[in-house]
Amino acid sequence: MEHYSMNLTLKVWKQKNAKAKGSFETFEVNDISSEMSFLEMFDVLNEKLIHEGKDAIAFDHDCREGICGTCSMYINGRPHGPWHGTTTCQLHMRAFKDGDTIVVEPWRAKAFPVIKDLIVDRTSFDKIIQAGGYISVNTGSAVDGNAMPVEKDNADKAFAAAACIGCGACVAACKNSSALLFVAAKVAHLALVPQGAPERKTRVMNMINVMDKEGFGSCTFTTACEAVCPKEISVTNISRLNQEYFLAGLTGDK
Amino acid sequence: MGLTGLFLISFLVVHAGVNACIWANDGGVLFNKVAHFMGSMIIIRILEVGLFAGIFIHIIQGYVLEFTNRSKRNIGYKINLGNRGSKWYSRSMGLLGTILLLFFIIHWKQFWIPSRFTGVNEVLIDGKEVHNMFNLMQVTFTEPWVVTVYVLACFSLAWHLMHGFQSAFRTIGVHNKRFLVLIQSAGIAFSIIIPLAFAMMPVSMYLGWVK
Ligand code: SF4
Ligand code: FES
């Protein structure tokens, strides 16, 4: 594919801090290479802004290889931008053409308050994980990998669910600001393997309780989450979570 | 939401089945007989109470869900994801349900209240006096605006079911791939056939296809 360079207009949400009232600001960026990533384009813009003595645009990022889930931008009305199954950091500028205007907003949800510009506070996700997204094991030397047999099909499904990077795009895209795809990925992942069995019933109950407490909405199966998830987590996991929740409600101690 | 929805879906089948008797085209004899049977069976009267409870719970749940979910996002997006992520009818269940609720108020006033409380003209069938519901339908559906309202309500019902049918099964935890495919196809068929059957009733009466 031919490389090209482009000039762009960016409309970016700027907000001084959590309390301030934000607004959109327009920025021009020139000579952006089609081979840059979306975040590199922001680096170029920020360098320019810093040189001019202006405030840089704050955005979250860490691994820049699609595995940590921190990069979070709502690009032209879609979480992580126009490419399917791709995080913002893996989105390349060849997705755009010269002269384009790109609108960049932070995740919008009560449970994800904006800290500054494009950065939102996703502590609510951490709290959900702390409520049950783990297995309790004694530490010590590692157990032999083959000691506990797992059916291949379940192992594959669990692995696919475990691919969730906790980015929050599902919440951002959902009209209800529901976090159920995220929670379902975690619950399904651990429900499908024997290691998750001991805490199976309490896990789903506790995670759902915290999810509700943190102010996420309820799922109505519009499946917008699945459409935008950079790790292509399937909504089938939500059905599985519902089954886990019913069974735990009927047979659990809580 | 899912459980009450499934319960109401099962009622739709019964309701459509009973009403389909108008197409016997026997001057309403069969239809009036079946309607009388439904109205006089004690078990069906008990089920009717359950049905209304189901409808009201579904409505209340629906509005609570709609409004609490709306309150979870203070600031909206400048550009929305819209149809790129989901179907318009999946996002419009509150609106479609409200249209249906408004329709039910008209529908109950036209048929249910007369048949239960205020009275309907009687007709003699097999030596028994029964409500002439068939005639009430014929009279009601001479008005073009009534027919239009009924047909529009059937469109709302179709879209409401198109989302609701499969969503209800997913909500109660169906995640088996084969079942999901089956439920999705059955959902589409159901959402077309049932509202179409309902819509054809006022239309058939209005056009004089059934006499
Ligand atoms: S389910 Fe997908 S969109 Fe949601 S947090 Fe996980 S990776 Fe992100
Ligand atoms: S920066 Fe880690 S996933 Fe994008």
Side-chain angles (χ1 to χ4, degrees), chain B residues 127-144:
Chain B
K128 254 194 295 179
E129 289 238 313
V130 300
H131 284 343
N132 196 349
M133 294 303 287
F134 184 74
N135 181 247
L136 182 61
M137 277 176 89
Q138 279 178 317
V139 175
T140 309
F141 296 134
T142 50
E143 292 276 355

Side-chain angles (χ1 to χ4, degrees), chain A residues 149-239:
Chain A
V150 183
E151 196 189 336
K152 171 79 171 109
D153 189 39
N154 282 354
D156 288 348
K157 283 188 190 133
F159 195 81
C164 165
I165 53 175
C167 65
C170 40
V171 178
C174 175
K175 93 182 221 304
N176 309 319
S177 310
S178 166
L180 210 56
L181 191 66
F182 164 73
V183 180
K186 306 300 167 198
V187 167
H189 160 210
L190 295 175
L192 282 159
V193 287
Q195 288 87 341
E199 285 144 323
R200 191 166 170 178
K201 288 177 189 167
T202 46
R203 172 180 306 115
V204 59
M205 286 308 208
N206 292 345
M207 289 181 89
I208 297 270
N209 284 344
V210 173
M211 178 188 86
D212 290 340
K213 233 182 27 229
E214 288 300 312
F216 294 100
S218 303
C219 172
T220 61
F221 270 111
T222 68
T223 68
C225 51
E226 183 185 80
V228 303
C229 173
K231 297 295 145 187
E232 301 175 309
I233 303 293
S234 162
V235 290
T236 309
N237 289 301
I238 298 184
S239 305

